[in-house]
Amino acid sequence: GINDADYVVKIKEELPKVNGKRKRKTVWVCPFYACWARMVERGFSKRTKVVLETYKDVTVNPEWKRFSDFKAWMKLQAWEGLSLDKDILIQGNLEYSSKTCVFVPQNINTILGDCRKARGKYPMGVCYMFLDKAKNRPRKKPFHASITIHTKKINLGYFETAQEAHRHWQIAKADYIESTVNGWSNDASFNILVANALMDRVHQLRADAQQNKETIKL
């Protein structure tokens, strides 16, 4: 990315020396620059792509290579207190661009997370827990289903098969997304395009559950 701002985008304050070394603390960052810098990092930082697998194939459209171009777009959006999202409007989208991105509340931004790293090879919402540590013996129903709501993991139960656990997750996830959209509808940040896209996910989850079909992506 190219920072072509004609003003200081970050102000740092000198701190007292510690062990002969002087450090600086950031006391202010331009909100437009902060948003652009995070996006550029996700699109180009090799370290970020290694540490956060979610961003492995993420890119940034050349239209936002320059900070000034991104800022011009962002100033036209309702963005204060909101998060930049790239893949709600277009399922599976991996490119940040003016045609794919939208600002949404944090709880909407994270609502489609699938915890890929934690669940490994199992379907979304499912993990394998063979040993019952409390009783120190193998479980008869080793497949655990859970859903995360407001950063809290909610237990949906243990099941004999991964498919059965996944189905319970599909139903719970659909209910959670729908209730979140309904609760968001009266907020000033409400976006009907985002709401419709999320309701499409609700219909997909319920159809998959009814047909006993695995939901591969949201």
Side-chain angles (χ1 to χ4, degrees):
I2 300 174
N3 176 15
D4 57 350
D6 57 0
Y7 60 94
V8 177
V9 296
K10 185 184 297 186
I11 297 176
K12 293 188 176 184
E13 181 182 76
E14 294 286 347
L15 297 176
K17 286 186 177 182
V18 178
N19 297 326
K21 296 182 179 180
R22 186 178 297 282
K23 295 185 177 181
R24 293 191 298 170
K25 178 179 70 174
T26 299
V27 294
W28 178 83
V29 180
C30 167
F32 300 103
Y33 175 80
C35 185
W36 176 78
R38 286 193 296 269
M39 176 188 68
V40 169
E41 180 183 11
R42 292 165 184 167
F44 298 105
S45 169
K46 292 181 180 180
R47 181 179 181 279
T48 296
K49 292 178 182 296
V50 170
V51 176
L52 300 175
E53 189 179 339
T54 305
Y55 299 112
K56 179 182 177 183
D57 300 313
V58 168
T59 60
V60 177
N61 191 285
E63 67 175 327
W64 282 348
K65 184 178 180 66
R66 292 180 179 276
F67 166 59
S68 59
D69 292 328
F70 175 80
K71 180 181 177 180
W73 173 83
M74 184 172 167
K75 289 177 70 174
L76 298 176
Q77 316 302 313
W79 59 268
E80 292 189 67
L82 306 178
S83 301
L84 183 67
D85 182 274
K86 70 181 184 320
D87 51 15
I88 290 182
L89 293 179
I90 301 177
Q91 188 180 50
N93 175 62
L94 294 172
E95 182 183 67
Y96 284 98
S97 75
S98 60
K99 293 182 175 63
T100 59
C101 288
V102 63
F103 282 95
V104 295
Q106 180 63 12
N107 67 320
I108 298 294
N109 186 42
T110 58
I111 201 170
L112 300 180
D114 65 5
C115 300
R116 188 182 311 167
K117 187 174 182 180
R119 62 186 170 85
K121 65 180 181 180
Y122 299 104
M124 284 192 278
V126 180
C127 65
Y128 185 69
M129 301 180 70
F130 175 72
L131 183 66
D132 185 336
K133 294 182 179 179
K135 298 180 180 180
N136 194 30
R137 67 185 185 190
R139 296 180 186 276
K140 292 182 179 180
K141 298 180 178 181
F143 294 96
H144 179 237
S146 64
I147 182 173
T148 300
I149 298 179
H150 303 308
T151 71
K152 183 179 180 180
K153 183 172 286 189
I154 307 299
N155 175 27
L156 301 176
Y158 291 87
F159 305 89
E160 292 183 357
T161 67
Q163 291 77 12
E164 187 181 3
H166 181 58
R167 183 173 181 277
H168 278 76
W169 172 84
Q170 289 170 318
I171 296 170
K173 188 73 169 182
D175 290 345
Y176 172 49
I177 294 174
E178 183 172 25
S179 66
T180 300
V181 170
N182 289 337
W184 181 40
S185 62
N186 294 320
D187 192 88
S189 66
F190 182 74
N191 184 313
I192 188 62
L193 295 178
V194 173
N196 289 340
L198 288 174
M199 289 307 298
D200 285 343
R201 300 331 199 274
V202 171
H203 301 322
Q204 173 194 344
L205 284 162
R206 288 182 175 153
D208 287 348
Q210 187 173 21
Q211 298 167 21
N212 199 28
K213 175 183 176 184
E214 181 180 346
T215 302
I216 303 298
K217 64 180 181 179
L218 287 178

